């Protein structure tokens, strides 16, 4: 296996590996996991693998999860189809960590390109360990112990008719996560707010709030400031897709953004998201 770093902070290309082989070889999958923990997102080229191999490789790291809005391949449950055809859809271009609206968000994902536009449709990943590390100390002190509420209803649900949106919310009630989570395997501290985060759960205390204005708009300004850290280029890597390119990311410590500049060209991706633990 050859490894080539793509930036100083995040991402590496992996050469000399077939993910089809890795789906049948625990030792190889383990070696890939080691690289994932180090680089946070890995890129593989020319992976002409079957859907069964794609799902089996991802399943080596844990169970796969379906998505309540995006459908899965009927023959391969857990292989979510992210297909954009000639209809303009505008809900994907926002920095996010997958499934932050779940009690146990995905630990990672393996995304394969089936079809991509001739130009455009790149994906950006962000190192949220770096984002936390570089926060000013006074902000780190302020967010220590803060919890954030996260919801799918206001994101994926926003484009739905009202009754469907509310049903999505009833089936996926809002959850609460630490604003700073700890990586369960590396121990790194991670800034854990994204476009799924709606408000702080426990900001309104006498230390934080002298007058109402310290909470409204004070708390939302702080949340927006934290969310905006994902857009700092120094924490990012940007990947240009080709059919059969694969990206695998550690979803606990990264965010991503699918650049939506290619419409009306089609773009078809298939994603196996791996069930994770409750953030702490
Ligand atoms: C995702 O948001 O999980 C998919 C990213 C992409 O389609 O590039």
């Amino acid at each position: 296996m050859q490894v080539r770093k793509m930036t100083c902070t995040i991402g590496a290309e992996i050469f000399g590996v077939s993910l089809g082989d890795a789906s049948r070889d625990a030792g190889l999958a383990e070696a890939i996991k080691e690289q994932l923990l180090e680089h946070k997102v890995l890129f593989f080229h020319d992976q002409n693998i079957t859907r069964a191999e794609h799902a089996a490789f991802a399943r080596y790291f844990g169970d796969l999860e379906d998505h309540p809005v995006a459908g899965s391949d009927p023959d391969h449950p857990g292989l979510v189809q992210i297909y954009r055809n000639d209809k303009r859809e505008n809900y994907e271009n926002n920095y996010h960590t997958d499934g932050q609206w779940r009690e146990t968000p995905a630990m990672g994902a393996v995304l394969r390109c089936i079809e991509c536009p001739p130009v455009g449709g790149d994906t950006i990943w962000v190192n949220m360990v770096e984002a936390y590390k570089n926060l000013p100390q006074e902000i780190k002190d302020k967010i220590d112990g803060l919890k954030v509420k996260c919801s799918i209803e206001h994101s994926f649900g926003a484009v739905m008719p009202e009754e469907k949106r509310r049903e999505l919310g009833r089936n996926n009630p809002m959850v609460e996560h630490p604003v700073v989570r700890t990586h369960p395997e590396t121990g790194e501290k991670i800034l854990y707010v994204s476009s799924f985060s709606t408000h702080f759960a426990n900001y309104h205390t006498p230390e934080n709030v002298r007058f109402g204005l310290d909470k409204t708009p004070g708390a939302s300004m702080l949340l927006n400031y934290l969310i905006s850290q994902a857009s700092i280029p120094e924490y990012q890597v940007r990947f240009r897709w080709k059919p059969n390119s694969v990206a695998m990311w550690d979803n606990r410590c990264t965010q991503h953004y699918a650049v939506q500049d290619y419409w009306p060209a089609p773009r078809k991706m298939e994603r196996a998201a791996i069930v994770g633990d409750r953030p702490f």
Side-chain angles (χ1 to χ4, degrees), residues 7-8 23 37 39 84 105 111 138 151:
T7 75
C8 295
S23 73
L37 292 178
H39 300 290
R84 303 283 177 253
L111 181 70
E138 76 210 49
S151 129

Side-chain angles (χ1 to χ4, degrees), residues 122-154:
D122 299 354
T123 306
I124 296 169
W125 279 266
V126 192
N127 180 342
M128 297 309 292
V129 171
E130 202 62 20
Y132 175 74
K133 207 187 290 171
N134 288 316
L135 285 175
Q137 188 58 45
E138 76 210 49
I139 300 286
K140 286 184 178 164
D141 293 343
K142 197 153 188 74
I143 64 178
D144 184 30
L146 271 188
K147 299 283 177 62
V148 70
K149 294 281 187 184
C150 303
S151 129
I152 189 175
E153 186 182 340
H154 83 293

